[in-house]
Amino acid sequence: MLSLAAMAESITIESSAPKAIKYEELIPQLKSLVGADKHPIAVMANVAAAIQGVFGFLWTGFYTVEGRELILGPFQGPVACMRITIGKGVSGAVLAEGYTIVVPNVDGFPGHIACSSDSRSEIVVPVKNAAGVICAVLDVDSAQLETFDDVDKKYLELICDWLGAQIF
Ligand code: SME
């Protein structure tokens, strides 16, 4: 059992469970932790910390949209690139295209931005407001190849859909 303390709240996940079950356990606890709070930085910070804490990825964090750029937001992991132009890298491609991109091997993605040389695979999910406009992206990096699949895509999209409606 994995327990992540957060002020008076905590997130408890069965650490030996398959990842789909971990996501199933995480999502209602995240919603409960966040409650009615709509502050974008506070909410994104705890979402990044919870995902990173449960799964132990290399890097989990958000970039927010400002004009035609992505600006580094709340994250957990090594220091990272602070600005990414629309269309550049995986995150910039998601901003340009509007859908999730799963990268099984970062060396196979033309234009991948290597914020960390330890990153081997990656998933980037758009966070949209109620009008469907992308306001941020969730970027998750792994030090292993082929970490992310349809299970991660499904649940991270559920998290980002809820998050976008909550804070944007
Ligand atoms: N690899 C990303 C850049 C952001 S970092 O991974 C945190 C990209 O190509 O967009």
Side-chain angles (χ1 to χ4, degrees):
M1 198 66 83
L2 173 68
S3 191
L4 304 172
M7 298 292 285
E9 298 280 354
S10 67
I11 287 178
T12 303
I13 302 290
E14 178 53 59
S15 51
S16 61
K19 67 180 174 184
I21 303 299
K22 289 183 179 174
Y23 282 115
E24 295 274 358
E25 292 181 0
L26 172 61
I27 289 173
Q29 293 184 69
L30 259 183
K31 290 180 178 176
S32 170
L33 173 70
V34 168
D37 201 311
K38 297 187 180 301
H39 192 287
I41 293 174
V43 177
M44 287 190 286
N46 258 346
V47 170
I51 294 170
Q52 181 80 354
V54 169
F55 294 101
F57 296 126
L58 174 67
W59 196 93
T60 302
F62 293 91
Y63 284 87
T64 56
V65 179
E66 286 189 22
R68 295 181 61 77
E69 264 188 332
L70 289 163
I71 309 293
L72 183 62
F75 71 95
Q76 298 272 315
V79 295
C81 323
M82 293 197 286
R83 291 170 185 267
I84 296 173
T85 304
I86 185 169
K88 301 291 183 190
V90 185
S91 305
V94 168
L95 178 58
E97 303 298 335
Y99 50 77
T100 299
I101 296 180
V102 177
V103 181
N105 180 350
V106 297
D107 291 336
F109 189 94
H112 169 260
I113 299 167
C115 292
S116 166
S117 57
D118 291 333
S119 179
R120 294 283 174 274
S121 59
E122 176 165 0
I123 183 169
V124 180
V125 182
V127 182
K128 300 177 181 177
N129 65 13
V133 176
I134 301 178
C135 297
V137 299
L138 169 65
D139 183 330
V140 188
D141 292 353
S142 168
Q144 280 81 45
L145 291 168
E146 299 174 358
T147 295
F148 306 104
D149 57 19
D150 284 348
V151 171
D152 303 279
K153 178 175 182 291
K154 171 184 168 182
Y155 287 105
L156 293 175
E157 286 180 346
L158 283 174
I159 290 171
C160 288
D161 287 350
W162 157 74
L163 182 69
Q166 177 88 6
I167 63 175
F168 296 124

